[in-house]
Amino acid sequence: MRRECSVTPAREPPPARSSEPSDGPSGAGAERTPAKASTVEPDLGHASEGSLPVTTPAVRAVDVLVVGGGIVGLACAWAAVRAGARVAVLDPSPGDGATHAAAGMLAPVGEAEPDDDAATALHLAGAALWPGFAADLRAASGTDPGFEPAGTLLLAYDAGDAADLRRRLHQHARAGLRSSPLTVADARRDEPALGSLGGAALAPDDHRADPRATHQALATALDAAGVRRVRRAAVRLLRERGAVVGAVDDAGHRHRAGLVVLAAGTPSRALAADAGAPRVPVRDVVGQTLRLAAGPDLPLGRTLRGQVQGRPVYVVPRAPEPDGTREVVVGATSEETGDGRRPRAGGTFALLRDARALVPGLDETALVDVTQRARPTTPDGRPLVGPSGVPGLWLATGHGRGGVLLAPLTGVALAHALGSTANTPDHDLGRALRAMDPDRLVATDHRRTA
């Protein structure tokens, strides 16, 4: 049975000034709004949990505190603001995790796996929200989030890869997903930069977004809404009478809230455990991506998702600059390693080798960035989005490779939990929200280990 989420705003003492670093509006030209006072107060230790001494400097609490400022966390914060909540975000390096490495493929068809109908329905629902999400975000921020409905070419390098592609197309047809085979000649007419191929197909509904641009647009929209974004890490959660009522940051300050949303990736696991929540089964899977600078002599329009001798690789072009140059993202490795930030030379070599097999002209591009980050991943590959089992604590983690695709849907789930009727779930959306419910993993795992 699904646990309901309720938000009880904390009592709001008189506002107090704070010297905490923030990404929000500041300076002589910034509008001063006393009603949006700091959400921070000093932490006086565990002994004071449950009630604050009268000598503690008190400040106004928020309705929702989002712990984690990547694309998922900021999408949740923006959704909560649009639902009428007062919101704060806590993250020491917002957007520097998996968001920074992500290529931004919105690929429910290309990512579809046989016999995983729940994940496919989830990804389709996430992709369906993106056009409206991007339009609303552009209007709110005045910034282009980099959404491009360009479609994706599915490419096979040799005969063995072509046989695999035919099997996938058959699976798409059985699942009712839109994809169609192309001749190699047709694929080359569509993308003249392609090299020798064994087969090709088109997934017209698999699009792309620029995660870094989307993150910046979300940050701008939140700043315009007066959301306080604090550059601190949460080190533990505050509890009162069995409920989570806020978080303590690494400077010892308390951030009180009616609801805490954990969107901090794998660190969410330890924070949830400290609050007494059932074990959150999230682990790091490391991925490496490359960013290349291509000249106007390498025209690329669609996202290219290929297989080269059994190895997956993708090539994601960004929209060209006025001079015709563009960024091209190549990815991605997938490793379970202890070091999420130091790229292996072998991984970089393998990505370049396979990408240039599909697009030989990549040899002439400049390698400008090699980024490796950990993706928070669950055992079944679907995120944990919903109530944690502890009052006042809500999960939004474990998105794996789907963080960009599912960020708008995660925000809709939170807005729905807060009582918003702006996105009343229809049958398909309701099914997608149930596919992310933490109960399927968290409650089962808790019963097994209790």
Side-chain angles (χ1 to χ4, degrees):
M1 178 179 297
R2 183 171 180 82
R3 302 176 301 275
E4 295 300 319
C5 172
S6 61
V7 180
T8 304
R11 286 178 295 177
E12 298 175 356
R17 296 178 62 85
S18 170
S19 60
E20 284 306 292
S22 172
D23 290 336
S26 62
E31 181 181 355
R32 297 184 182 275
T33 310
K36 294 291 185 180
S38 167
T39 64
V40 184
E41 61 188 58
D43 177 34
L44 302 182
H46 289 266
S48 65
E49 284 194 16
S51 62
L52 293 176
V54 294
T55 56
T56 301
V59 295
R60 176 168 298 202
V62 293
D63 299 318
V64 177
L65 173 66
V66 180
V67 178
I71 194 169
V72 170
L74 294 196
C76 286
W78 192 46
V81 167
R82 298 177 84 193
R86 294 168 304 157
V87 181
V89 180
L90 196 60
D91 192 311
S93 302
D96 189 49
T99 299
H100 192 64
M105 291 187 299
L106 311 175
V109 176
E111 290 278 349
E113 295 291 343
D115 304 319
D116 196 350
D117 293 342
T120 298
L122 175 62
H123 295 160
L124 287 169
L129 291 175
W130 253 98
F133 172 82
D136 290 348
L137 185 55
R138 182 194 289 266
S141 67
T143 303
D144 183 5
F147 172 69
E148 296 180 85
T152 295
L153 288 182
L154 309 176
L155 304 176
Y157 176 67
D158 62 17
D161 298 322
D164 287 342
L165 177 58
R166 287 191 295 273
R167 282 191 289 271
R168 294 187 72 84
L169 294 178
H170 180 63
Q171 292 162 1
H172 295 165
R174 285 193 303 171
L177 302 175
R178 287 217 306 161
S179 63
S180 56
L182 297 176
T183 67
V184 171
D186 285 341
R188 286 213 190 93
R189 274 191 289 272
D190 195 44
E191 290 290 350
L194 293 175
S196 176
L197 296 174
L202 175 64
D205 301 325
D206 280 9
H207 303 315
R208 62 178 179 250
D210 184 339
R212 296 180 183 181
T214 300
H215 185 271
Q216 181 57 55
L218 283 166
T220 301
L222 292 174
D223 289 346
V227 171
R228 181 175 174 83
R229 298 186 295 118
V230 182
R231 285 181 173 264
R232 294 289 186 187
V235 295
R236 65 181 179 86
L237 302 181
L238 288 169
R239 289 169 288 166
E240 290 182 1
R241 294 180 292 276
V244 171
V245 296
V248 179
D249 70 24
D250 54 2
H253 292 89
R254 293 182 170 209
H255 305 258
R256 298 179 67 85
L259 180 71
V260 174
V261 176
L262 279 185
T266 305
S268 301
R269 180 178 58 199
L271 289 168
D274 181 63
R279 193 175 79 88
V280 176
V282 177
R283 73 187 192 283
D284 281 341
V285 176
V286 172
Q288 180 185 143
T289 56
L290 317 178
R291 280 170 169 76
L292 312 176
D297 55 340
L298 185 64
L300 290 172
R302 298 192 191 273
T303 298
L304 309 177
R305 189 182 187 96
Q307 182 173 298
V308 178
Q309 297 178 338
R311 300 179 298 270
V313 66
Y314 57 72
V315 177
V316 183
R318 299 283 178 236
E321 300 294 334
D323 63 358
T325 61
R326 71 173 76 219
E327 178 181 86
V328 177
V329 184
V330 173
T333 60
S334 184
E335 305 174 82
E336 302 211 21
T337 175
D339 193 336
R341 295 271 174 151
R342 296 186 65 187
R344 289 190 311 106
T348 304
F349 167 77
L351 290 175
L352 289 172
R353 175 197 62 207
D354 292 343
R356 70 165 301 280
L358 301 177
V359 185
L362 292 177
D363 278 351
E364 305 304 319
T365 63
L367 176 60
V368 297
D369 183 51
V370 180
T371 306
Q372 181 163 292
R373 293 293 188 272
R375 312 179 191 100
T377 305
T378 64
D380 65 3
R382 286 181 270 143
L384 303 171
V385 176
S388 67
V390 174
L393 182 61
W394 208 81
L395 300 178
T397 189
H399 289 71
R401 296 197 309 267
V404 178
L405 172 64
L406 298 177
L409 180 60
T410 304
V412 167
L414 176 59
H416 180 60
L418 294 173
S420 172
T421 58
N423 286 283
T424 302
D426 58 18
H427 173 74
D428 290 339
L429 185 55
R431 181 185 180 192
L433 298 182
R434 290 191 296 274
M436 301 189 292
D437 193 324
D439 263 349
R440 73 184 194 278
L441 295 177
V442 172
T444 301
D445 183 78
H446 183 54
R447 285 194 297 268
R448 185 173 63 247
T449 58

